[in-house]
Amino acid sequence: MASNVSGTHHRTEWAPRSAWAMGWTAAAAVLMTFGGIMAIFEGIAAIAKDDVFITTPNFTYAFSLTGWGWIHLILGALALAAGLALFSGATWARVTGVVLAGLGMIANFVWLPYAPVWSITLMIVYGFVIWALCAPRDEPSRA
C-alpha cells in the first residue's frame, strides 16, 4: 500500500510515448532478426564462392569474395543476436541494434557491386531499424 502514496512509485521499465513507438520497436526487432538471418545466408554463399555474385575488376573496396563473405557472416550473426535481444526492450539492446544496423548499412554500401538490389534493400531495412529504435520514449525517472 505504501507504494501507492504519491511520489513513492517509481517506474523501472521504459515505456514508449505511444503504442506506435512500441509497435515500431517490435517491427525493428523482427526486421533486424530477419536481416541477420539473410546476411548469414549471404555470407555463407559468398564464402562458398557461389555463382550468384558478380565480381567486378577495379572495384575500390577490393576484398576477395571470401573476405566479404566472412564480414557478412559475422555482422549477420551479431545482428541476429541483437534482433532477438530487442524483444526484451532493454536500452543496451536498442543501442547495440543502432550500431549494428549502421555497420550493416556501411557493409551493404560497399557490397553494392556484388548484389546491388539486395544491398539497397538491406540498406533501406537497416535505415528503418535505426529510425524505429531511435523513436522517442519516456525513460524512467532517476529520482
Side-chain angles (χ1 to χ4, degrees):
M1 295 264 189
S3 65
N4 291 333
V5 176
S6 177
T8 60
H9 178 68
H10 298 285
R11 293 182 350 194
T12 57
E13 297 180 12
W14 64 270
R17 287 190 182 168
S18 68
W20 284 101
M22 183 61 152
W24 288 123
T25 302
V30 169
L31 286 175
M32 186 104 176
T33 302
F34 174 74
I37 291 170
M38 297 314 297
I40 289 171
F41 288 145
E42 186 177 45
I44 290 170
I47 291 169
K49 295 185 185 346
D50 199 352
D51 293 333
V52 175
F53 301 109
I54 300 168
T55 56
T56 56
N58 306 330
F59 177 48
T60 304
Y61 307 106
F63 287 144
S64 68
L65 192 58
T66 304
W68 280 118
W70 281 108
I71 289 170
H72 283 282
L73 183 67
I74 292 168
L75 279 176
L78 293 173
L80 174 63
L84 293 174
L86 280 172
F87 286 109
S88 71
T91 303
W92 68 265
R94 287 189 287 135
V95 171
T96 303
V98 169
V99 169
L100 288 174
L103 289 174
M105 286 181 78
I106 293 169
N108 280 296
F109 177 75
V110 296
W111 181 250
L112 274 168
Y114 296 103
V117 174
W118 184 246
S119 294
I120 291 170
T121 302
L122 278 179
M123 285 190 294
I124 291 169
V125 167
Y126 284 136
F128 171 76
V129 167
I130 291 171
W131 173 80
L133 294 178
C134 293
R137 290 167 171 69
D138 287 332
E139 296 292 336
S141 61
R142 302 280 179 196

Short mmCIF file of all heavy atoms in Angstrom, two decimals, residues 72-120:
data_model
loop_
_atom_site.label_atom_id
_atom_site.label_comp_id
_atom_site.label_asym_id
_atom_site.label_seq_id
_atom_site.Cartn_x
_atom_site.Cartn_y
_atom_site.Cartn_z
N HIS A 72 30.07 -10.41 -43.84
CA HIS A 72 28.61 -10.51 -43.77
C HIS A 72 28.16 -11.60 -42.80
O HIS A 72 27.14 -11.43 -42.11
CB HIS A 72 28.02 -10.75 -45.16
CG HIS A 72 27.98 -9.51 -45.99
ND1 HIS A 72 27.04 -8.54 -45.82
CD2 HIS A 72 28.79 -9.08 -46.98
CE1 HIS A 72 27.25 -7.56 -46.67
NE2 HIS A 72 28.32 -7.87 -47.38
N LEU A 73 28.90 -12.69 -42.73
CA LEU A 73 28.54 -13.76 -41.80
C LEU A 73 28.64 -13.29 -40.35
O LEU A 73 27.72 -13.51 -39.54
CB LEU A 73 29.44 -14.97 -42.02
CG LEU A 73 29.14 -16.21 -41.17
CD1 LEU A 73 27.80 -16.80 -41.55
CD2 LEU A 73 30.23 -17.24 -41.34
N ILE A 74 29.72 -12.61 -40.01
CA ILE A 74 29.91 -12.12 -38.63
C ILE A 74 28.89 -11.04 -38.30
O ILE A 74 28.25 -11.08 -37.24
CB ILE A 74 31.36 -11.63 -38.43
CG1 ILE A 74 32.33 -12.82 -38.49
CG2 ILE A 74 31.51 -10.87 -37.12
CD1 ILE A 74 33.78 -12.43 -38.61
N LEU A 75 28.73 -10.05 -39.20
CA LEU A 75 27.74 -9.00 -38.94
C LEU A 75 26.33 -9.57 -38.87
O LEU A 75 25.50 -9.12 -38.08
CB LEU A 75 27.81 -7.92 -40.02
CG LEU A 75 28.90 -6.88 -39.86
CD1 LEU A 75 28.90 -5.92 -41.06
CD2 LEU A 75 28.73 -6.10 -38.58
N GLY A 76 26.04 -10.58 -39.69
CA GLY A 76 24.72 -11.21 -39.67
C GLY A 76 24.45 -11.93 -38.36
O GLY A 76 23.35 -11.83 -37.80
N ALA A 77 25.46 -12.63 -37.84
CA ALA A 77 25.28 -13.32 -36.56
C ALA A 77 25.07 -12.32 -35.42
O ALA A 77 24.21 -12.52 -34.55
CB ALA A 77 26.50 -14.21 -36.27
N LEU A 78 25.82 -11.23 -35.44
CA LEU A 78 25.65 -10.20 -34.42
C LEU A 78 24.29 -9.51 -34.54
O LEU A 78 23.63 -9.22 -33.53
CB LEU A 78 26.78 -9.16 -34.50
CG LEU A 78 28.18 -9.68 -34.13
CD1 LEU A 78 29.23 -8.61 -34.44
CD2 LEU A 78 28.22 -10.10 -32.68
N ALA A 79 23.85 -9.25 -35.78
CA ALA A 79 22.54 -8.62 -35.99
C ALA A 79 21.41 -9.55 -35.55
O ALA A 79 20.41 -9.10 -34.98
CB ALA A 79 22.37 -8.24 -37.46
N LEU A 80 21.56 -10.84 -35.80
CA LEU A 80 20.56 -11.81 -35.34
C LEU A 80 20.45 -11.80 -33.82
O LEU A 80 19.35 -11.74 -33.27
CB LEU A 80 20.91 -13.21 -35.85
CG LEU A 80 20.04 -14.36 -35.35
CD1 LEU A 80 18.60 -14.19 -35.80
CD2 LEU A 80 20.61 -15.68 -35.82
N ALA A 81 21.59 -11.83 -33.15
CA ALA A 81 21.59 -11.80 -31.68
C ALA A 81 20.99 -10.50 -31.16
O ALA A 81 20.20 -10.50 -30.21
CB ALA A 81 23.01 -12.00 -31.15
N ALA A 82 21.33 -9.38 -31.78
CA ALA A 82 20.78 -8.08 -31.35
C ALA A 82 19.28 -8.01 -31.62
O ALA A 82 18.53 -7.47 -30.80
CB ALA A 82 21.50 -6.94 -32.06
N GLY A 83 18.85 -8.55 -32.74
CA GLY A 83 17.42 -8.56 -33.05
C GLY A 83 16.63 -9.35 -32.04
O GLY A 83 15.56 -8.94 -31.60
N LEU A 84 17.17 -10.49 -31.62
CA LEU A 84 16.49 -11.29 -30.60
C LEU A 84 16.50 -10.58 -29.25
O LEU A 84 15.53 -10.64 -28.49
CB LEU A 84 17.14 -12.67 -30.50
CG LEU A 84 16.95 -13.57 -31.73
CD1 LEU A 84 17.76 -14.85 -31.59
CD2 LEU A 84 15.49 -13.87 -31.99
N ALA A 85 17.59 -9.89 -28.95
CA ALA A 85 17.68 -9.15 -27.68
C ALA A 85 16.73 -7.96 -27.66
O ALA A 85 16.30 -7.54 -26.59
CB ALA A 85 19.11 -8.69 -27.44
N LEU A 86 16.39 -7.42 -28.82
CA LEU A 86 15.48 -6.27 -28.88
C LEU A 86 14.09 -6.61 -28.35
O LEU A 86 13.37 -5.73 -27.89
CB LEU A 86 15.36 -5.76 -30.31
CG LEU A 86 16.49 -4.87 -30.79
CD1 LEU A 86 16.34 -4.59 -32.28
CD2 LEU A 86 16.51 -3.58 -30.01
N PHE A 87 13.72 -7.87 -28.40
CA PHE A 87 12.40 -8.24 -27.89
C PHE A 87 12.29 -8.03 -26.38
O PHE A 87 11.20 -7.94 -25.85
CB PHE A 87 12.08 -9.70 -28.25
CG PHE A 87 11.74 -9.89 -29.70
CD1 PHE A 87 12.62 -10.53 -30.54
CD2 PHE A 87 10.55 -9.39 -30.22
CE1 PHE A 87 12.32 -10.71 -31.88
CE2 PHE A 87 10.25 -9.55 -31.55
CZ PHE A 87 11.12 -10.21 -32.40
N SER A 88 13.43 -7.94 -25.69
CA SER A 88 13.41 -7.66 -24.25
C SER A 88 13.12 -6.19 -23.96
O SER A 88 12.70 -5.84 -22.87
CB SER A 88 14.73 -8.07 -23.60
OG SER A 88 15.76 -7.16 -23.98
N GLY A 89 13.37 -5.31 -24.93
CA GLY A 89 13.13 -3.89 -24.75
C GLY A 89 14.22 -3.18 -23.97
O GLY A 89 14.05 -2.03 -23.59
N ALA A 90 15.34 -3.84 -23.73
CA ALA A 90 16.43 -3.25 -22.95
C ALA A 90 17.10 -2.12 -23.73
O ALA A 90 17.21 -2.16 -24.95
CB ALA A 90 17.45 -4.31 -22.59
N THR A 91 17.56 -1.12 -23.01
CA THR A 91 18.24 0.02 -23.63
C THR A 91 19.51 -0.41 -24.33
O THR A 91 19.81 0.04 -25.43
CB THR A 91 18.54 1.10 -22.58
OG1 THR A 91 17.31 1.49 -21.96
CG2 THR A 91 19.18 2.32 -23.21
N TRP A 92 20.28 -1.30 -23.70
CA TRP A 92 21.53 -1.75 -24.32
C TRP A 92 21.25 -2.46 -25.64
O TRP A 92 22.04 -2.37 -26.57
CB TRP A 92 22.33 -2.65 -23.37
CG TRP A 92 21.68 -3.98 -23.11
CD1 TRP A 92 20.87 -4.30 -22.06
CD2 TRP A 92 21.78 -5.16 -23.91
NE1 TRP A 92 20.44 -5.60 -22.16
CE2 TRP A 92 21.00 -6.16 -23.28
CE3 TRP A 92 22.46 -5.47 -25.09
CZ2 TRP A 92 20.87 -7.44 -23.81
CZ3 TRP A 92 22.32 -6.75 -25.60
CH2 TRP A 92 21.54 -7.72 -24.97
N ALA A 93 20.13 -3.16 -25.74
CA ALA A 93 19.78 -3.86 -26.98
C ALA A 93 19.45 -2.85 -28.08
O ALA A 93 19.82 -3.05 -29.25
CB ALA A 93 18.61 -4.80 -26.75
N ARG A 94 18.78 -1.75 -27.71
CA ARG A 94 18.48 -0.72 -28.70
C ARG A 94 19.75 -0.04 -29.19
O ARG A 94 19.91 0.20 -30.38
CB ARG A 94 17.51 0.32 -28.12
CG ARG A 94 16.10 -0.23 -28.00
CD ARG A 94 15.10 0.84 -27.63
NE ARG A 94 15.28 1.22 -26.23
CZ ARG A 94 15.30 2.46 -25.80
NH1 ARG A 94 15.17 3.46 -26.63
NH2 ARG A 94 15.46 2.71 -24.51
N VAL A 95 20.67 0.28 -28.28
CA VAL A 95 21.93 0.92 -28.66
C VAL A 95 22.74 -0.02 -29.55
O VAL A 95 23.26 0.39 -30.60
CB VAL A 95 22.74 1.33 -27.41
CG1 VAL A 95 24.12 1.80 -27.79
CG2 VAL A 95 21.99 2.40 -26.63
N THR A 96 22.83 -1.27 -29.15
CA THR A 96 23.55 -2.27 -29.96
C THR A 96 22.90 -2.42 -31.33
O THR A 96 23.59 -2.54 -32.35
CB THR A 96 23.60 -3.62 -29.23
OG1 THR A 96 24.20 -3.43 -27.95
CG2 THR A 96 24.38 -4.65 -30.01
N GLY A 97 21.58 -2.42 -31.36
CA GLY A 97 20.86 -2.53 -32.63
C GLY A 97 21.15 -1.38 -33.57
O GLY A 97 21.34 -1.57 -34.77
N VAL A 98 21.21 -0.17 -33.02
CA VAL A 98 21.51 1.01 -33.85
C VAL A 98 22.93 0.91 -34.41
O VAL A 98 23.17 1.15 -35.59
CB VAL A 98 21.31 2.32 -33.05
CG1 VAL A 98 21.86 3.51 -33.80
CG2 VAL A 98 19.84 2.52 -32.73
N VAL A 99 23.88 0.53 -33.57
CA VAL A 99 25.28 0.42 -34.01
C VAL A 99 25.42 -0.66 -35.09
O VAL A 99 26.04 -0.43 -36.14
CB VAL A 99 26.21 0.13 -32.81
CG1 VAL A 99 27.60 -0.25 -33.27
CG2 VAL A 99 26.26 1.32 -31.87
N LEU A 100 24.83 -1.83 -34.85
CA LEU A 100 24.95 -2.92 -35.82
C LEU A 100 24.20 -2.62 -37.11
O LEU A 100 24.65 -3.00 -38.20
CB LEU A 100 24.47 -4.24 -35.21
CG LEU A 100 25.41 -4.82 -34.17
CD1 LEU A 100 24.80 -6.05 -33.52
CD2 LEU A 100 26.76 -5.18 -34.79
N ALA A 101 23.06 -1.94 -37.02
CA ALA A 101 22.35 -1.55 -38.23
C ALA A 101 23.17 -0.55 -39.04
O ALA A 101 23.21 -0.62 -40.27
CB ALA A 101 20.98 -0.97 -37.88
N GLY A 102 23.86 0.36 -38.36
CA GLY A 102 24.74 1.29 -39.05
C GLY A 102 25.90 0.58 -39.74
O GLY A 102 26.23 0.88 -40.89
N LEU A 103 26.51 -0.38 -39.04
CA LEU A 103 27.59 -1.16 -39.65
C LEU A 103 27.06 -1.98 -40.82
O LEU A 103 27.75 -2.14 -41.84
CB LEU A 103 28.24 -2.06 -38.61
CG LEU A 103 29.09 -1.36 -37.54
CD1 LEU A 103 29.55 -2.37 -36.49
CD2 LEU A 103 30.27 -0.66 -38.18
N GLY A 104 25.85 -2.50 -40.67
CA GLY A 104 25.24 -3.26 -41.77
C GLY A 104 24.99 -2.39 -42.99
O GLY A 104 25.16 -2.83 -44.13
N MET A 105 24.58 -1.13 -42.76
CA MET A 105 24.38 -0.21 -43.88
C MET A 105 25.70 0.07 -44.61
O MET A 105 25.74 0.08 -45.84
CB MET A 105 23.78 1.11 -43.39
CG MET A 105 22.32 1.02 -43.03
SD MET A 105 21.64 2.58 -42.49
CE MET A 105 21.42 3.41 -44.05
N ILE A 106 26.76 0.26 -43.85
CA ILE A 106 28.08 0.52 -44.46
C ILE A 106 28.54 -0.71 -45.24
O ILE A 106 29.01 -0.60 -46.37
CB ILE A 106 29.10 0.91 -43.38
CG1 ILE A 106 28.73 2.27 -42.79
CG2 ILE A 106 30.52 0.95 -43.96
CD1 ILE A 106 29.51 2.64 -41.54
N ALA A 107 28.41 -1.89 -44.64
CA ALA A 107 28.84 -3.13 -45.31
C ALA A 107 28.05 -3.35 -46.60
O ALA A 107 28.61 -3.77 -47.62
CB ALA A 107 28.67 -4.32 -44.37
N ASN A 108 26.76 -3.07 -46.57
CA ASN A 108 25.96 -3.26 -47.78
C ASN A 108 26.23 -2.18 -48.82
O ASN A 108 26.09 -2.43 -50.02
CB ASN A 108 24.47 -3.31 -47.43
CG ASN A 108 24.09 -4.67 -46.91
OD1 ASN A 108 24.16 -5.66 -47.63
ND2 ASN A 108 23.72 -4.74 -45.65
N PHE A 109 26.64 -0.99 -48.38
CA PHE A 109 27.01 0.05 -49.34
C PHE A 109 28.23 -0.38 -50.14
O PHE A 109 28.26 -0.23 -51.36
CB PHE A 109 27.27 1.37 -48.63
CG PHE A 109 27.72 2.45 -49.56
CD1 PHE A 109 26.83 3.07 -50.42
CD2 PHE A 109 29.06 2.83 -49.61
CE1 PHE A 109 27.25 4.06 -51.29
CE2 PHE A 109 29.49 3.81 -50.47
CZ PHE A 109 28.58 4.43 -51.32
N VAL A 110 29.24 -0.90 -49.48
CA VAL A 110 30.44 -1.31 -50.21
C VAL A 110 30.24 -2.65 -50.90
O VAL A 110 31.07 -3.06 -51.71
CB VAL A 110 31.69 -1.33 -49.29
CG1 VAL A 110 32.02 0.05 -48.80
CG2 VAL A 110 31.51 -2.27 -48.13
N TRP A 111 29.13 -3.34 -50.62
CA TRP A 111 28.80 -4.61 -51.24
C TRP A 111 27.96 -4.40 -52.51
O TRP A 111 27.64 -5.33 -53.22
CB TRP A 111 28.04 -5.46 -50.21
CG TRP A 111 27.61 -6.81 -50.62
CD1 TRP A 111 26.33 -7.22 -50.85
CD2 TRP A 111 28.41 -7.98 -50.80
NE1 TRP A 111 26.30 -8.56 -51.17
CE2 TRP A 111 27.58 -9.04 -51.15
CE3 TRP A 111 29.78 -8.21 -50.72
CZ2 TRP A 111 28.04 -10.32 -51.41
CZ3 TRP A 111 30.25 -9.49 -50.98
CH2 TRP A 111 29.39 -10.52 -51.32
N LEU A 112 27.62 -3.14 -52.81
CA LEU A 112 26.76 -2.81 -53.96
C LEU A 112 27.18 -3.45 -55.28
O LEU A 112 26.32 -3.93 -56.01
CB LEU A 112 26.66 -1.29 -54.13
CG LEU A 112 25.59 -0.58 -53.31
CD1 LEU A 112 25.81 0.91 -53.36
CD2 LEU A 112 24.22 -0.94 -53.82
N PRO A 113 28.45 -3.47 -55.66
CA PRO A 113 28.80 -4.05 -56.96
C PRO A 113 28.53 -5.55 -57.06
O PRO A 113 28.39 -6.08 -58.15
CB PRO A 113 30.30 -3.78 -57.09
CG PRO A 113 30.56 -2.65 -56.19
CD PRO A 113 29.61 -2.80 -55.06
N TYR A 114 28.46 -6.25 -55.94
CA TYR A 114 28.26 -7.70 -55.97
C TYR A 114 26.78 -8.07 -56.03
O TYR A 114 26.42 -9.04 -56.69
CB TYR A 114 28.90 -8.35 -54.74
CG TYR A 114 30.40 -8.19 -54.71
CD1 TYR A 114 30.99 -7.25 -53.87
CD2 TYR A 114 31.21 -8.95 -55.52
CE1 TYR A 114 32.36 -7.10 -53.83
CE2 TYR A 114 32.59 -8.80 -55.50
CZ TYR A 114 33.16 -7.86 -54.65
OH TYR A 114 34.51 -7.70 -54.62
N ALA A 115 25.93 -7.37 -55.30
CA ALA A 115 24.50 -7.65 -55.27
C ALA A 115 23.75 -6.33 -55.07
O ALA A 115 23.32 -6.02 -53.97
CB ALA A 115 24.18 -8.63 -54.16
N PRO A 116 23.58 -5.55 -56.14
CA PRO A 116 23.04 -4.20 -55.98
C PRO A 116 21.61 -4.13 -55.43
O PRO A 116 21.34 -3.33 -54.54
CB PRO A 116 23.12 -3.61 -57.38
CG PRO A 116 23.45 -4.70 -58.30
CD PRO A 116 23.97 -5.84 -57.50
N VAL A 117 20.71 -4.94 -55.92
CA VAL A 117 19.32 -4.87 -55.47
C VAL A 117 19.22 -5.29 -54.01
O VAL A 117 18.56 -4.63 -53.20
CB VAL A 117 18.41 -5.73 -56.36
CG1 VAL A 117 17.00 -5.78 -55.81
CG2 VAL A 117 18.40 -5.20 -57.78
N TRP A 118 19.88 -6.37 -53.66
CA TRP A 118 19.83 -6.85 -52.29
C TRP A 118 20.50 -5.86 -51.34
O TRP A 118 20.02 -5.63 -50.23
CB TRP A 118 20.49 -8.22 -52.18
CG TRP A 118 20.38 -8.80 -50.81
CD1 TRP A 118 21.40 -9.04 -49.95
CD2 TRP A 118 19.19 -9.16 -50.12
NE1 TRP A 118 20.91 -9.54 -48.77
CE2 TRP A 118 19.56 -9.63 -48.85
CE3 TRP A 118 17.84 -9.13 -50.45
CZ2 TRP A 118 18.63 -10.06 -47.92
CZ3 TRP A 118 16.93 -9.57 -49.52
CH2 TRP A 118 17.34 -10.03 -48.27
N SER A 119 21.59 -5.26 -51.75
CA SER A 119 22.28 -4.28 -50.91
C SER A 119 21.40 -3.06 -50.64
O SER A 119 21.31 -2.59 -49.51
CB SER A 119 23.58 -3.83 -51.57
OG SER A 119 24.49 -4.89 -51.63
N ILE A 120 20.75 -2.56 -51.67
CA ILE A 120 19.87 -1.40 -51.49
C ILE A 120 18.69 -1.76 -50.59
O ILE A 120 18.31 -0.98 -49.71
CB ILE A 120 19.39 -0.87 -52.86
CG1 ILE A 120 20.57 -0.24 -53.61
CG2 ILE A 120 18.25 0.14 -52.70
CD1 ILE A 120 20.30 0.10 -55.04
#
